[in-house]
Amino acid sequence: MRPICAIFLATVVVQARSSPRQASGSANLLTDLNTISQYWGQISPYVDNPEDYFHVVDIGLPSGCQVEKVHLLQRHANRFPTSGVDDGANDERFASKVLNFTKASSSKFTGPLAFLNSYRYQMAEGYLTGLGAASEFMAGVTFWNRYGRTLYNASVGQLAYNASFSNGTARPKPVLRTTSQSRIYNSEINWALGFFGPSLDIVPNPNITNASTPFNLVIIPEGGVENNTLASYDSCINDNDDVIGYIGDSDLYAYIPKYLKNATARMQQYAPKNFTFTTNDTYAMQSICAYEDGYLGMSDFCYLFTQVEWESFENTLDLVYYFDYAYGNPTGRAQGIGYVQELFARLQHQYITSSNSSVNYTIDNNAAQFPLNQAFYADFSHDDIIISVLTALSIDYFHNPPTLTQVPPDPNRPFILSKLTPFGGRLVTEVIGCTSANPTAVSGHRPQYYPSQYGYNAANATHKFVRMRVNNGILPLNTIRGGACEGRTDGMCAMDKFMQSQANADKLANYQYACFANYTVTNPTSGRDYDGTISA
């Protein structure tokens, strides 16, 4: 993302972080962190979605089919807050407010807020945390286990990627891509350690210099106005406009008082008379809870809110991302179309030699930086890019907007950020080869141990399909606008139909106008559906 005693008595709700959403219950405070952490939006800890989470009926791999190539768009994991006004800046402001008060006054916070008397804010801005690094390492291990073993026909007991073929000759090095931003680059490093596994070599090899690594790395600059599909807001000038780029942020500030009035009054009961809580202060307490858990693994702020207040906290984050990067923003499609173009170039084995989007064609026009025949591709990026890519693809399952007024929000709404882009979130595009043009869907999960397990034979698997996952949940490609991918119940779409479904993607994004034209957005908190684009 570019640059929160009687009345406090609570019941403990025992629930795993992967548990289904529950309807809002009593007004008692939540004290189980596994439940609370479900409601942290894009700053939630990573948890796999169930394969059928997005309502795909049949989740198994059909007989005669196998995953042949994989395209990974991987978000960085746990980080410190950013400098955003409604993110780290608000958290730091509140922490400074408390510190300045406790230094200057002998008056004390009491009850459940007594910890504020000695509280010191411990976080920097933007960097990957230790827990984030561990999460990315695990993401690399998971990718090897789920895909690498099959893609490379791993031997029995093989723990990670082997840079040599079975005859001992070296494999061509796969190319990974990252932006130059610290948390993205460090996420790539830790993911690569998990996937390529140098620490799991029979003879340990701690050297991870470029010369010794089993992969090549492309580092795309981030932070200026350069073209970069993995940080596409850099080159989309209107996304940095004080109004256009921050529609969702305005919605957040309008929603906060709707659900935090009671919580703010509750905090005030335990504050000194000359310390006044605002709803923005209370919001910062919720935000700090999530960030401190992702840094320290604990936070005193986490146990001060009800389930309704946590559900509504998540809705504020849903609002930001829907109206800044998805259908609710005129640049939503434009920010995702560059990666979509790169995905389709790889699927069609074509270089990109010119650009009408955030694509940097000097990177994408050659085999060294943009190879076309890898078994897998791994690109390291941001949460908002994943949201904009889903928008640019016109997966209309996610088109319904978050509520601007309802407290609490509908727990069954389709656009829930913690299920889309938690820390370490990932969008995976699978290319599946099948012996049949219409393979029979399989209802239950099928584990994959080796390529030919379910009757797959590369020699006659001439029919190609696409299947996409977000955090392991299979996406309903049959909801792509236009109906080209309708007809299957397992999320698979025939390759030619998938290409057909995106025939108008560039036109819909209208990148040049959306990102550079001189237009205005009036009444930004109206909840207008821009369909992720705008035209003259």
Side-chain angles (χ1 to χ4, degrees):
M1 182 181 178
R2 59 172 184 264
I4 98 178
C5 296
I7 198 168
F8 272 85
L9 290 177
T11 57
V12 176
V13 180
V14 179
Q15 188 176 28
R17 294 195 181 193
S18 58
S19 299
R21 289 296 177 94
Q22 304 295 320
S24 298
S26 72
N28 290 333
L29 306 185
L30 291 184
T31 60
D32 178 67
L33 197 60
N34 288 329
T35 301
I36 295 167
S37 63
Q38 293 185 69
Y39 303 113
W40 293 344
Q42 84 283 3
I43 49 181
S44 299
Y46 182 82
V47 175
D48 264 350
N49 290 322
E51 290 183 286
D52 63 354
Y53 178 80
F54 299 110
H55 299 104
V56 169
V57 175
D58 298 309
I59 60 174
L61 188 69
S63 296
C65 298
Q66 188 53 268
V67 177
E68 297 179 335
K69 291 184 184 295
V70 182
H71 303 254
L72 170 67
L73 184 60
Q74 173 78 32
R75 186 200 174 191
H76 64 79
N78 309 51
R79 57 160 170 76
F80 288 127
T82 68
S83 59
V85 173
D86 52 9
D87 192 58
N90 189 48
D91 297 353
E92 292 169 9
R93 177 203 55 77
F94 170 71
S96 294
K97 178 178 177 179
V98 170
L99 180 60
N100 291 338
F101 179 86
T102 56
K103 282 184 174 180
S105 175
S106 60
S107 299
K108 301 293 185 181
F109 294 90
T110 61
L113 298 188
F115 73 93
L116 290 179
N117 295 317
S118 59
Y119 178 73
R120 299 292 186 270
Y121 189 78
Q122 296 295 311
M123 293 178 286
E125 286 185 356
Y127 296 113
L128 191 72
T129 69
L131 290 176
S135 178
E136 286 293 338
F137 180 88
M138 190 62 209
V141 172
T142 299
F143 192 84
W144 166 257
N145 289 335
R146 287 183 178 166
Y147 295 112
R149 291 187 54 80
T150 303
L151 293 173
Y152 292 100
N153 195 18
S155 60
V156 174
Q158 185 175 336
L159 292 172
Y161 175 87
N162 190 333
S164 300
F165 291 106
S166 57
N167 64 6
T169 61
R171 295 181 186 274
K173 289 186 176 184
V175 171
L176 279 59
R177 301 192 310 169
T178 179
T179 81
S180 61
Q181 189 180 85
S182 172
R183 64 179 176 266
I184 308 297
Y185 198 164
N186 280 325
S187 289
E188 174 275 323
I189 290 171
N190 286 282
W191 186 96
L193 288 171
F195 181 84
F196 293 102
S199 62
L200 299 176
D201 288 346
I202 295 174
V203 177
N205 175 16
N207 191 341
I208 57 170
T209 64
N210 283 339
S212 66
T213 55
F215 61 92
N216 291 324
L217 185 62
V218 173
I219 304 169
I220 308 174
E222 176 179 358
V225 294
E226 59 281 309
N227 279 18
N228 183 345
T229 59
L230 307 180
S232 55
Y233 42 76
D234 276 356
S235 60
C236 186
I237 302 304
N238 282 335
D239 179 59
N240 296 297
D241 179 86
D242 288 343
V243 178
I244 298 170
Y246 295 89
I247 296 174
D249 301 69
S250 298
D251 291 326
L252 174 148
Y253 278 116
Y255 189 79
I256 285 174
K258 291 179 171 63
Y259 83 94
L260 280 180
K261 179 180 178 181
N262 290 341
T264 303
R266 199 163 64 238
M267 304 305 165
Q268 194 63 52
Q269 295 181 70
Y270 301 97
K273 290 183 179 179
N274 50 343
F275 186 97
T276 302
F277 275 97
T278 68
T279 53
N280 283 352
D281 292 338
T282 314
Y283 186 77
M285 295 169 75
Q286 290 189 291
S287 177
I288 292 172
C289 156
Y291 279 120
E292 286 189 342
D293 179 70
Y295 172 43
L296 303 172
M298 49 75 69
S299 175
D300 286 321
F301 289 104
C302 289
Y303 310 108
L304 305 174
F305 300 93
T306 68
Q307 180 169 324
V308 168
E309 288 157 359
W310 280 121
E311 290 175 353
S312 301
F313 172 77
E314 178 168 56
N315 190 65
T316 67
L317 304 172
D318 295 346
L319 286 168
V320 171
Y321 278 69
Y322 188 90
F323 289 99
D324 281 1
Y325 308 115
Y327 294 106
N329 194 280
T331 69
R333 291 178 182 271
Q335 293 187 65
I337 194 61
Y339 178 81
V340 171
Q341 290 172 338
E342 290 182 326
L343 173 64
F344 275 74
R346 288 164 168 169
L347 291 175
Q348 298 175 93
H349 307 286
Q350 296 174 351
Y351 296 118
I352 300 177
T353 57
S354 62
S355 176
N356 61 355
S357 69
S358 59
V359 167
N360 184 334
Y361 70 86
T362 66
I363 292 174
D364 293 358
N365 66 2
N366 64 90
Q369 296 174 295
F370 195 73
L372 300 176
N373 292 295
Q374 291 188 176
F376 77 94
Y377 301 87
D379 294 321
F380 295 84
S381 184
H382 296 268
D383 44 11
D384 45 324
I385 304 304
I386 294 175
I387 295 299
S388 293
V389 167
L390 296 174
T391 305
L393 289 168
S394 291
I395 302 179
D396 279 343
Y397 177 89
F398 300 112
H399 201 154
N400 290 339
T403 180
L404 295 171
T405 58
Q406 183 180 343
V407 176
D410 179 1
N412 297 314
R413 64 198 186 278
F415 192 92
I416 297 180
L417 208 57
S418 63
K419 301 300 183 181
L420 299 176
T421 57
F423 280 137
R426 60 213 64 165
L427 171 64
V428 172
T429 303
E430 303 170 344
V431 177
I432 299 172
C434 296
T435 57
S436 169
N438 188 26
T440 302
V442 173
S443 61
H445 172 77
R446 277 181 156 180
Q448 298 177 59
Y449 298 106
Y450 53 91
S452 60
Q453 184 175 356
Y454 301 112
Y456 168 81
N457 184 337
N460 58 16
T462 57
H463 304 283
K464 309 301 180 185
F465 294 82
V466 170
R467 184 171 66 178
M468 303 183 80
R469 296 175 184 260
V470 167
N471 310 325
N472 194 53
I474 299 172
L475 293 181
L477 297 187
N478 58 353
T479 68
I480 292 178
R481 194 174 307 176
C485 288
E486 291 179 354
R488 294 195 62 86
T489 59
D490 56 6
M492 289 171 52
C493 182
M495 180 69 74
D496 61 336
K497 297 295 185 181
F498 186 64
M499 297 295 180
Q500 180 184 334
S501 77
Q502 301 303 313
N504 293 323
D506 289 4
K507 182 178 180 181
L508 281 173
N510 198 16
Y511 181 88
Q512 294 297 322
Y513 189 87
C515 289
F516 302 110
N518 183 16
Y519 58 87
T520 58
V521 167
T522 58
N523 194 11
T525 58
S526 66
R528 176 178 172 180
D529 180 2
Y530 284 93
D531 194 28
T533 191
I534 194 168
S535 59

